[in-house]
Amino acid sequence: MVRPAVLAPIVCVLASGAAVMSFARESWLGVIWLLLAGLTSNMAWYYARRARSGVSAPGVGGCADSGSCAACTRGARG
């Protein structure tokens, strides 16, 4: 499965290209592509900022502070 952090910039570039092509052909469908490009651009910034801060998604690769995973129990025991 492709990670959203990788997929968001790719979709943003493709949607931007589709918007340019739609407007070049004088189609108002480019507005939809432009909105999609804006949404995926925000998603790409969100994932990039989250990666820089080192925060993982809840429930992904850990117990999300419930204390039930092996890493948390090892850390608690010392």
Side-chain angles (χ1 to χ4, degrees):
M1 184 165 170
V2 179
R3 295 181 58 182
V6 175
L7 193 59
I10 294 170
V11 173
C12 182
V13 169
L14 291 175
S16 300
V20 168
M21 291 299 295
S22 292
F23 283 128
R25 294 181 180 182
E26 299 178 0
S27 171
W28 285 99
L29 191 62
V31 173
I32 303 297
W33 289 113
L34 196 62
L35 291 172
L36 181 63
L39 175 71
T40 56
S41 171
N42 288 340
M43 289 174 59
W45 279 111
Y46 170 76
Y47 287 122
R49 199 171 352 134
R50 191 174 78 179
R52 269 185 297 210
S53 69
V55 177
S56 66
V60 177
C63 63
D65 296 327
S66 67
S68 62
C69 71
C72 292
T73 55
R74 271 196 310 266
R77 284 185 270 170

